[in-house]
Amino acid sequence: MKQILKIACVLLLAVCLIPLKDVHAASFKDVSDDNTLITEIDYLVEKGIINGYPNDLFKPNAYVTRAQAAVMLTRALGLQTANVRDPKYQDVPTTHAYFKEIAAVHNAGIFDSAQKFNPEATLSRGDMAIVLQRAFKLKESERYYFSDVTEKTKGYKEIYTIASNNITRRYTDGSFKPSLPLTRAHFSAFLARALTLSNSDLLKDTKYDYIYSYYSLNDKNRYTLKYEYSHNNNKNDVWTITDLNSNELFDEEYLLSEGLHYAQGLASNESTHYDIYFSLPIRIGVIRHEDDGGVISGIRITVKTTDGTVRAGGVNYNNVIVLEEKSVYSDDVWTYYFVDGIGLVKELYNYEVIYELLDHTEN
């Protein structure tokens, strides 16, 4: 009977991980379009790191197993599975369906040596923090706080490290819940975020002047604007904006990047309004949620990709960070395209170009 159950488990795992038809998260019956983790799930599906079950199911709320995590990490990191060294787990013989992947993650130092690997056991949130920190060699940038994580908590350093890298965050009660088993959806999200983590500089380069084409939604006119760096006011980089056709001055642009946050907005008479504000480093998925404290107008900001492409001013840009902003109170969509070391190169409102970088020249 145990042998039959073991075979059944292996077959179920195989169904979960074998390549199926080309799908997207939105095409799964049990992953809705408004699922807050759909961007991350889509990313892993498109990369062939994880697949669905038959009948177009993803089973987002099913617990991920240690074997499944090993397979996904092996695929995500491109680990070598040929001639792997046997880690000698008693419950993972060389005949095991995923021996190579389990051996690969062990050999990479992601999972510890032990008598048993427990391939069908669940993976806790604390264990997830440990394996992701090891897999991606993440460094802690800012000490985070969780009400239920102390120095006595297994993996407490790794938990704080992935939190400081915006891969995870607190529950509403301030906890992390390190012992809570991970679902397929949540492990997919954490893995995708670690894979797409970016420390790109989103600020304009102060050594350059920028020329943008700008379409005003207020007066329906199009302008050619010149952005020139003015000064730093001990908080923001301040840029003066001039219409090249009329020499009219627009409100100044303020850009903030403290290493932990990015902000962009207009300022008039030293009164600053940030149109965009979010934490750094950046990764795919929802980064500002309408239920977050301090968020107004029901805004949700989602990073769609950190390695996209866009054409602006006749130039093709790669490794583009694409942000999408929506409000729960309207159907309006704002889309921003950022390039490392250059800053904003394009902005859309409901898919109409509002800002487009035409040129940037050394000043």
Side-chain angles (χ1 to χ4, degrees), residues 30-49:
D30 52 358
V31 181
S32 62
D33 289 341
D34 61 354
N35 188 305
T36 57
L37 304 180
I38 194 169
T39 302
E40 293 96 319
I41 295 172
D42 250 342
Y43 178 84
L44 293 191
V45 171
E46 290 169 1
K47 295 293 184 181
I49 295 169

Side-chain angles (χ1 to χ4, degrees), residues 1-135:
M1 183 65 179
K2 289 183 178 178
Q3 185 64 26
I4 293 174
L5 288 175
K6 186 182 293 185
I7 293 172
C9 288
V10 170
L11 289 174
L12 182 61
L13 181 59
V15 167
C16 166
L17 294 170
I18 59 174
L20 300 176
K21 63 182 180 181
D22 185 24
V23 292
H24 298 276
S27 68
F28 292 125
K29 295 177 182 177
D30 52 358
V31 181
S32 62
D33 289 341
D34 61 354
N35 188 305
T36 57
L37 304 180
I38 194 169
T39 302
E40 293 96 319
I41 295 172
D42 250 342
Y43 178 84
L44 293 191
V45 171
E46 290 169 1
K47 295 293 184 181
I49 295 169
I50 193 169
N51 303 284
Y53 290 85
N55 301 319
D56 295 327
L57 295 178
F58 182 72
K59 298 188 179 182
N61 297 321
Y63 292 136
V64 70
T65 68
R66 289 168 59 85
Q68 290 173 349
V71 173
M72 284 187 274
L73 284 164
T74 298
R75 292 175 178 173
L77 298 171
L79 297 180
Q80 177 60 254
T81 57
N83 302 316
V84 288
R85 186 175 67 256
D86 187 354
K88 304 295 184 181
Y89 291 122
Q90 293 177 1
D91 53 357
V92 186
T94 56
T95 55
H96 190 282
Y98 297 102
F99 165 78
K100 290 183 178 181
E101 290 84 353
I102 293 171
V105 294
H106 171 271
N107 295 344
I110 299 171
F111 282 88
D112 292 327
S113 298
Q115 287 187 337
K116 293 185 177 182
F117 182 75
N118 299 312
E120 302 308 319
T122 58
L123 194 73
S124 72
R125 288 170 56 84
D127 289 335
M128 172 275 298
I130 293 172
V131 299
L132 288 187
Q133 188 280 325
R134 292 175 179 176

Side-chain angles (χ1 to χ4, degrees), residues 12 21 34 53 118 150 173 197 269 296 305 309 320 326:
L12 182 61
K21 63 182 180 181
D34 61 354
Y53 290 85
N118 299 312
T150 69
D173 63 358
L197 200 63
N269 298 321
I296 60 173
T305 183
T309 60
V320 179
K326 294 182 177 179

Side-chain angles (χ1 to χ4, degrees), residues 166-352:
N166 291 327
I167 293 172
T168 187
R169 60 181 183 173
R170 289 182 286 262
Y171 282 90
T172 54
D173 63 358
S175 66
F176 177 74
K177 306 186 189 304
S179 300
L180 190 69
L182 270 179
T183 64
R184 282 168 50 82
H186 280 108
F187 184 75
S188 297
F190 296 139
L191 178 57
R193 292 169 190 171
L195 274 167
T196 59
L197 200 63
S198 172
N199 288 293
S200 295
D201 181 5
L202 307 184
L203 294 178
K204 289 181 173 66
D205 189 333
T206 58
K207 299 191 298 293
Y208 287 79
D209 296 335
Y210 288 68
I211 306 296
Y212 284 94
S213 171
Y214 165 57
Y215 177 72
S216 171
L217 295 173
N218 293 324
D219 61 20
K220 310 303 180 186
N221 289 326
R222 187 164 291 280
Y223 299 86
T224 301
L225 303 181
K226 183 177 184 179
Y227 284 65
E228 298 176 279
Y229 175 69
S230 175
H231 64 284
N232 186 284
N233 62 5
N234 295 320
K235 181 179 181 181
N236 305 280
D237 284 346
V238 182
W239 292 73
T240 58
I241 307 172
T242 308
D243 174 24
L244 292 181
N245 296 321
S246 65
N247 287 323
E248 175 187 359
L249 288 175
F250 281 57
D251 289 339
E252 293 176 324
E253 180 183 66
Y254 277 27
L255 294 176
L256 166 71
S257 182
E258 300 174 320
L260 298 177
H261 299 95
Y262 173 85
Q264 169 187 307
L266 297 177
S268 179
N269 298 321
E270 298 300 321
S271 175
T272 306
H273 169 68
Y274 290 129
D275 295 303
I276 307 178
Y277 187 88
F278 53 82
S279 298
L280 298 172
I282 203 165
R283 44 71 176 178
I284 65 168
V286 176
I287 58 172
R288 292 282 285 175
H289 194 276
E290 58 266 24
D291 294 333
D292 292 343
V295 173
I296 60 173
S297 302
I299 293 297
R300 178 184 293 187
I301 299 178
T302 304
V303 179
K304 306 301 289 185
T305 183
T306 58
D307 61 353
T309 60
V310 71
R311 185 173 177 81
V315 178
N316 294 320
Y317 294 98
N318 298 314
N319 300 317
V320 179
I321 293 174
V322 183
L323 283 77
E324 181 180 86
E325 180 182 308
K326 294 182 177 179
S327 171
V328 296
Y329 300 113
S330 73
D331 295 326
D332 294 337
V333 180
W334 294 85
T335 310
Y336 305 87
Y337 300 84
F338 289 90
V339 174
D340 182 29
I342 296 177
L344 184 70
V345 298
K346 203 166 193 175
E347 179 181 332
L348 309 183
Y349 171 71
N350 291 339
Y351 311 107
E352 181 178 8

Side-chain angles (χ1 to χ4, degrees), residues 138-150:
L138 301 173
K139 304 296 184 183
E140 183 180 354
S141 59
E142 180 75 8
R143 177 48 58 96
Y144 215 77
Y145 170 76
F146 292 107
S147 60
D148 58 350
V149 177
T150 69

